[in-house]
Amino acid sequence: MANGCHGSHNLKCSTAELAEIMADFKARAAAVAEPHEMWPLQEYLARKQREIERKYDYRYSQLLFVFGQLIREGRVQEAQLAGLTEEKLGYIRCSASL
């Protein structure tokens, strides 16, 4: 599963999302004109870090939910999960539909 999202390939899934966050952060930072405008950037980054850490939880017990969320967001296609059992794919589809 070269384009997959588990095991040693888990960083591939978050790379695109991290690039989006970085681009947004740079745009926000460039718009800062006053010192007091810096602090919301810190809060933004902390919130995004928590979201990423929560979303990309690769503990075995959480993988089906992670895959479901990534499918729902369009970051992973079901075809990339080829090789999983139909039962697991069913749980992932259910999670993706939430």
Side-chain angles (χ1 to χ4, degrees):
M1 198 156 92
N3 292 327
C5 294
H6 64 79
S8 62
H9 302 289
N10 61 11
L11 292 178
K12 290 183 179 184
C13 287
S14 61
T15 301
E17 190 166 2
L18 290 174
E20 293 168 13
I21 293 169
M22 190 179 314
D24 188 40
F25 168 74
K26 287 179 180 181
R28 290 170 183 245
V32 169
E34 299 291 327
H36 71 276
E37 296 173 333
M38 293 186 301
W39 309 126
L41 284 176
Q42 178 186 15
E43 293 166 8
Y44 165 79
L45 285 176
R47 182 173 27 83
K48 289 298 183 181
Q49 181 181 14
R50 285 189 304 273
E51 289 173 11
I52 291 291
E53 289 172 351
R54 200 173 16 240
K55 181 186 300 183
Y56 295 98
D57 182 346
Y58 288 101
R59 290 176 295 165
Y60 186 78
S61 64
Q62 298 300 308
L63 282 177
L64 301 180
F65 299 110
V66 170
F67 289 142
Q69 181 175 358
L70 295 175
I71 287 173
R72 185 173 54 250
E73 293 176 357
R75 297 189 182 280
V76 170
Q77 301 302 311
E78 188 174 326
Q80 292 176 284
L81 303 178
L84 293 179
T85 66
E86 189 57 40
E87 180 182 10
K88 288 180 181 176
L89 289 171
Y91 286 122
I92 291 167
R93 286 183 196 112
C94 183
S95 178
S97 69
L98 296 178

Short mmCIF file of all heavy atoms in Angstrom, two decimals, residues 68 72 92-98:
data_model
loop_
_atom_site.label_atom_id
_atom_site.label_comp_id
_atom_site.label_asym_id
_atom_site.label_seq_id
_atom_site.Cartn_x
_atom_site.Cartn_y
_atom_site.Cartn_z
N GLY A 68 -11.75 6.56 8.20
CA GLY A 68 -13.07 7.09 7.91
C GLY A 68 -13.06 8.60 7.81
O GLY A 68 -13.64 9.19 6.88
N ARG A 72 -13.74 10.89 4.47
CA ARG A 72 -14.77 11.94 4.53
C ARG A 72 -14.19 13.29 4.08
O ARG A 72 -14.85 14.06 3.40
CB ARG A 72 -15.34 12.03 5.95
CG ARG A 72 -16.50 13.00 6.09
CD ARG A 72 -17.17 12.95 7.46
NE ARG A 72 -16.27 13.13 8.57
CZ ARG A 72 -15.90 12.18 9.44
NH1 ARG A 72 -16.38 10.96 9.35
NH2 ARG A 72 -15.09 12.44 10.44
N ILE A 92 -15.09 1.40 8.23
CA ILE A 92 -14.52 2.65 7.71
C ILE A 92 -15.59 3.44 6.96
O ILE A 92 -15.73 4.65 7.14
CB ILE A 92 -13.31 2.36 6.81
CG1 ILE A 92 -12.15 1.81 7.68
CG2 ILE A 92 -12.87 3.60 6.05
CD1 ILE A 92 -11.01 1.20 6.88
N ARG A 93 -16.37 2.76 6.12
CA ARG A 93 -17.45 3.44 5.39
C ARG A 93 -18.45 4.07 6.36
O ARG A 93 -18.91 5.19 6.16
CB ARG A 93 -18.17 2.44 4.48
CG ARG A 93 -17.38 2.05 3.27
CD ARG A 93 -18.20 1.11 2.37
NE ARG A 93 -17.32 0.44 1.43
CZ ARG A 93 -17.05 -0.87 1.45
NH1 ARG A 93 -17.63 -1.67 2.34
NH2 ARG A 93 -16.22 -1.38 0.57
N CYS A 94 -18.79 3.33 7.39
CA CYS A 94 -19.72 3.83 8.39
C CYS A 94 -19.14 5.08 9.08
O CYS A 94 -19.83 6.08 9.23
CB CYS A 94 -20.02 2.74 9.42
SG CYS A 94 -21.22 3.22 10.67
N SER A 95 -17.90 5.00 9.45
CA SER A 95 -17.24 6.14 10.10
C SER A 95 -17.16 7.32 9.14
O SER A 95 -17.34 8.47 9.56
CB SER A 95 -15.83 5.73 10.55
OG SER A 95 -15.16 6.79 11.12
N ALA A 96 -16.92 7.07 7.87
CA ALA A 96 -16.82 8.14 6.88
C ALA A 96 -18.14 8.84 6.67
O ALA A 96 -18.18 10.02 6.30
CB ALA A 96 -16.31 7.58 5.55
N SER A 97 -19.24 8.13 6.92
CA SER A 97 -20.56 8.72 6.69
C SER A 97 -21.06 9.56 7.86
O SER A 97 -22.10 10.19 7.75
CB SER A 97 -21.56 7.62 6.36
OG SER A 97 -21.81 6.83 7.51
N LEU A 98 -20.36 9.54 8.97
CA LEU A 98 -20.81 10.30 10.16
C LEU A 98 -20.72 11.79 9.94
O LEU A 98 -19.92 12.32 9.31
CB LEU A 98 -19.98 9.90 11.38
CG LEU A 98 -20.12 8.46 11.82
CD1 LEU A 98 -19.20 8.19 13.00
CD2 LEU A 98 -21.55 8.13 12.18
#
